[in-house]
């Protein structure tokens, strides 16, 4: 009965807005919107972090595979060159720029062809570029010429060792990313 009286008096009828109806309208308060936006921002930030993490992991795996492939190609090349070499040595000076080779960033293979002409193959590690480049020259005092494209390598160091102590024709320390 109370409802009927309110309807007749005009209070609470659909045509006459009551003072309480403005608070009961559908929608969200400013606090609810702020909380929802905060949760969405947290979810978006977490998703962006996860995507960045996965992307960096994939990049690192790709670089590791590339470096491993490059190192395997170098090993195959050095195996072929060492078989036909008459000498494998670490020169005192870098033949490409005449700098000191005390850090062991250069090694050379000397090969002799059927005409008894000497040919020199120089392998030079560039620490700044993290690459290994092959050079060839036909005489001891000739200018080295780069052959092939540089191979990716993070670290390289050759050391002198007596031939009877070597298991392989060269010693190499290589750390792959």
């Amino acid at each position: 009965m109370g409802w009927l009286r309110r309807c007749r008096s005009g209070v609470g009828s659909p045509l006459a807005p009551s003072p309480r109806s403005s608070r009961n309208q559908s929608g969200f308060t400013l606090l609810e919107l702020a909380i929802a936006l905060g949760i969405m921002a947290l979810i978006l930030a977490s998703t962006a972090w996860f995507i960045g993490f996965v992307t960096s992991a994939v990049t690192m795996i790709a670089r590791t595979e590339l470096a491993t492939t490059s190192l395997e190609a170098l090993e195959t090349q050095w195996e072929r060159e060492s078989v036909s070499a008459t000498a494998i040595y670490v020169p005192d000076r870098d033949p490409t720029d005449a700098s000191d080779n005390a850090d062991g960033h250069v090694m050379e293979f000397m090969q002799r062809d059927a005409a008894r002409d000497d040919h020199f193959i120089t392998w030079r590690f560039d620490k700044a570029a993290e690459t290994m480049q092959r050079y060839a020259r036909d005489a001891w005092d000739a200018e080295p010429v780069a052959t092939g494209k540089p191979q990716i390598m993070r670290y390289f160091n050759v050391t002198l060792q007596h031939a009877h102590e070597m298991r392989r024709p060269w010693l190499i320390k290589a750390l792959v990313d």
Side-chain angles (χ1 to χ4, degrees), residues 66-128:
L66 181 62
T68 302
T69 304
S70 181
L71 189 58
E72 289 170 352
L74 277 173
E75 184 179 17
T76 302
Q77 178 98 21
W78 287 342
E79 190 78 35
R80 282 195 315 258
E81 291 175 355
S82 68
V83 168
S84 62
T86 55
I88 302 170
Y89 56 95
V90 179
D92 292 336
R93 314 271 315 141
D94 184 342
T96 61
D97 63 4
S99 64
D100 185 28
N101 189 31
D103 61 351
H105 69 277
V106 175
M107 74 174 182
E108 288 193 321
F109 295 91
M110 185 181 94
Q111 299 173 335
R112 187 165 285 161
D113 62 15
R116 302 196 45 83
D117 293 326
D118 292 335
H119 303 278
F120 300 91
I121 298 170
T122 303
W123 285 93
R124 182 179 188 273
F125 174 65
D126 184 350
K127 187 174 184 174

Side-chain angles (χ1 to χ4, degrees), residues 5-170:
R5 275 191 206 144
R6 276 190 301 202
C7 284
R8 285 188 185 154
S9 67
V11 176
S13 69
L15 298 175
S18 70
R20 296 180 71 204
S21 67
S22 63
R23 284 192 217 148
N24 293 333
Q25 289 180 352
S26 62
F28 298 105
T29 64
L30 187 58
L31 180 62
E32 292 170 330
L33 285 174
I35 291 171
L37 287 175
I39 291 171
M40 286 189 338
L42 184 64
I43 290 171
L44 285 174
S46 299
T47 304
W49 176 84
F50 180 73
I51 289 171
F53 177 77
V54 169
T55 303
S56 67
V58 167
T59 302
M60 187 174 67
I61 289 170
R63 286 187 67 204
T64 301
E65 287 176 357
L66 181 62
T68 302
T69 304
S70 181
L71 189 58
E72 289 170 352
L74 277 173
E75 184 179 17
T76 302
Q77 178 98 21
W78 287 342
E79 190 78 35
R80 282 195 315 258
E81 291 175 355
S82 68
V83 168
S84 62
T86 55
I88 302 170
Y89 56 95
V90 179
D92 292 336
R93 314 271 315 141
D94 184 342
T96 61
D97 63 4
S99 64
D100 185 28
N101 189 31
D103 61 351
H105 69 277
V106 175
M107 74 174 182
E108 288 193 321
F109 295 91
M110 185 181 94
Q111 299 173 335
R112 187 165 285 161
D113 62 15
R116 302 196 45 83
D117 293 326
D118 292 335
H119 303 278
F120 300 91
I121 298 170
T122 303
W123 285 93
R124 182 179 188 273
F125 174 65
D126 184 350
K127 187 174 184 174
E130 294 183 345
T131 57
M132 179 67 89
Q133 178 66 54
R134 182 182 189 271
Y135 296 88
R137 53 195 170 120
D138 290 329
W140 177 256
D141 55 353
E143 187 70 27
V145 177
T147 59
K149 64 179 187 173
Q151 302 290 323
I152 295 171
M153 185 173 287
R154 298 286 308 238
Y155 177 79
F156 176 82
N157 182 337
V158 291
T159 57
L160 294 174
Q161 190 171 18
H162 293 289
H164 67 276
E165 296 174 357
M166 298 175 70
R167 289 186 290 171
R168 289 186 177 229
W170 62 86

